Amino acid sequence: MSHLTYAEAGFVGLLQGITELFPVSSLGHAVLIPAVVGGQWAQDLNVSESESPYLAYIVGLHVATATAMIIYFWRDWLRIIKGFFLSLGHVIAPAPGTNRFEPQNTDQALAWMIVLATIPVGLAGIALEHDFRVYFSKPVLVSVFLFCNGLILLAGERARRRGSEMEAQEIAADRQAVSERQKAAVAAGAAGGGGGGRHSSGQRALKQQHANLAVESDRRIVRRVGWLGAFGLGASQILALLPGISRDGTVMVCGMFRRLSRQDAARFSFLLSAPVILAAGVLKIPDLTGPLGAGIRGPILFGSLLSGLGAYFALRFLVRYFSDPKRTLTPFAIYCLIAGLSCFIYLSVR
């Protein structure tokens, strides 16, 4: 029978939910923290063990994390999924004078970019996940990867700094345009005598403003990334098979090298992560319902709940954090450098 206490499951679940969205590698922390704590935790929470119930639990938590991400971006996902199916209809019955294989709007283009970007990491995960876990999940080695993750984030910041002024101007211009359209819409509604009260109208206006800003961000992503870039950003997630290298951090940095703002790079990273994380979790659900999950299903549900809550609130924080052009990846880079070096020293001399 597998062994996983409620304390272990709750701590790991909350940690996974938060660090999956932060560019600091959730899998790296899932390997390092049990090794640093030692004792029973190091025995129960070992991802490199053959047929590890802990690994199945960790990947199973991805279902809760992905669900939280889909809930947070539900309006965006409705647009993207609708665009995907409309594009299929256009392929079957194209409008006269149009190319059936050319997306008709931003939502359709973004949907297919996400599909294209998911292919390389999906294939690599199926083919290489076991080997990467067995050979690279040693705690000392993971601490080195975490340190390298900090260097990757710093490299992205250095590349982005060259275009930071243009980035701030572009985002400010988009916000100004959205604000003016929103004021015009509110004024038109007031002239039409629409009811609902000032408070409800203000809330609707705010939600619409956020939706309009998301559309503007998607347009910039589609324009600057393109098909080849989307495939490359998706392929960059393969690095995250190395525990200690962050999936979101890698995509953000690669997006910044393609002249995306931090905000747009983070948004594309979050949208791209949801299907990958969900698929990885769904593939492990049979393990959790089989013998590997015997005796630990209560802790699994408890940890999954905390993971989903942690992911949702982490996402809220990060979206607001990156909405300010002055906010950078540097604090996360410094954390990875310090944590990676400290763990390496501690685990080497212990």
Side-chain angles (χ1 to χ4, degrees):
M1 177 179 293
S2 305
H3 188 269
L4 183 70
T5 68
Y6 277 91
E8 293 168 344
F11 180 84
V12 171
L14 185 60
L15 179 75
Q16 182 339 25
I18 295 173
T19 56
E20 183 66 52
L21 281 306
F22 280 74
V24 297
S25 178
S26 60
L27 184 55
H29 282 72
V31 173
L32 287 174
I33 289 183
V36 170
V37 173
Q40 191 64 41
W41 279 52
Q43 297 178 31
D44 295 342
L45 312 180
N46 183 0
V47 299
S48 61
E49 180 184 345
S50 178
E51 296 299 318
S52 169
Y54 177 52
L55 176 68
Y57 169 62
I58 287 292
V59 183
L61 290 177
H62 285 51
V63 175
T65 303
T67 300
M69 298 174 71
I70 292 171
I71 290 173
Y72 185 87
F73 286 117
W74 71 269
R75 293 182 178 86
D76 303 285
W77 278 113
L78 283 180
R79 283 194 299 106
I80 293 168
I81 293 172
K82 180 181 177 181
F84 174 77
F85 284 106
L86 287 176
S87 71
L88 291 180
H90 181 69
V91 170
I92 297 172
T98 62
N99 183 343
R100 70 173 67 212
F101 298 111
E102 182 178 349
Q104 300 300 294
N105 55 42
T106 298
D107 295 339
Q108 294 183 22
L110 184 61
W112 281 105
M113 285 171 61
I114 292 174
V115 171
L116 183 64
T118 304
I119 292 173
V121 68
L123 294 176
I126 294 172
L128 301 174
E129 182 274 332
H130 178 268
D131 291 337
F132 271 57
R133 173 172 58 86
V134 171
Y135 297 113
F136 297 111
S137 291
K138 312 306 179 186
V140 172
L141 193 55
V142 172
S143 67
V144 174
F145 291 143
L146 185 61
F147 185 88
C148 292
N149 188 68
L151 296 179
I152 291 172
L153 298 180
L154 288 180
E157 275 305 318
R158 184 172 182 178
R160 186 63 241 163
R161 199 173 296 125
R162 294 193 295 268
S164 58
E165 184 176 348
M166 181 183 67
E167 169 189 328
Q169 292 174 354
E170 185 178 55
I171 292 176
D174 285 342
R175 286 180 175 175
Q176 180 65 26
V178 168
S179 178
E180 290 176 358
R181 289 200 300 268
Q182 194 67 28
K183 288 178 181 177
V186 171
R198 181 178 299 177
H199 180 67
S200 60
S201 297
Q203 284 189 330
R204 286 196 300 270
L206 183 61
K207 290 179 180 178
Q208 187 59 48
Q209 184 179 32
H210 289 164
N212 290 338
L213 288 172
V215 171
E216 294 298 330
S217 177
D218 291 345
R219 286 174 180 165
R220 292 193 298 267
I221 291 170
V222 169
R223 184 173 66 250
R224 291 190 173 177
V225 174
W227 301 113
L228 185 60
F231 185 85
L233 291 180
S236 71
Q237 296 179 101
I238 296 173
L239 283 175
L241 292 175
L242 297 171
I245 303 297
S246 166
R247 174 188 294 107
D248 288 310
T250 302
V251 175
M252 286 183 202
V253 168
C254 291
M256 288 157 65
F257 272 103
R258 292 198 62 85
R259 298 185 302 112
L260 287 180
S261 68
R262 297 181 192 88
Q263 180 182 11
D264 292 344
R267 175 176 172 79
F268 187 65
S269 172
F270 296 148
L271 290 175
L272 188 57
S273 293
V276 175
I277 295 172
L278 182 61
V282 169
L283 287 174
K284 286 294 181 180
I285 286 181
D287 289 344
L288 296 178
T289 57
L292 285 179
I296 60 172
R297 294 192 180 97
I300 288 172
L301 291 175
F302 177 61
S304 297
L305 175 62
L306 291 182
S307 180
L309 290 173
Y312 184 84
F313 287 106
L315 193 54
R316 284 188 60 178
F317 170 80
L318 288 171
V319 168
R320 293 179 181 178
Y321 179 88
F322 287 116
S323 66
D324 185 348
K326 297 180 181 179
R327 300 292 179 87
T328 72
L329 292 171
T330 303
F332 307 109
I334 293 174
Y335 167 79
C336 289
L337 293 173
I338 294 175
L341 182 60
S342 300
C343 289
F344 178 81
I345 294 173
Y346 174 77
L347 294 171
S348 297
V349 302
R350 186 178 58 177

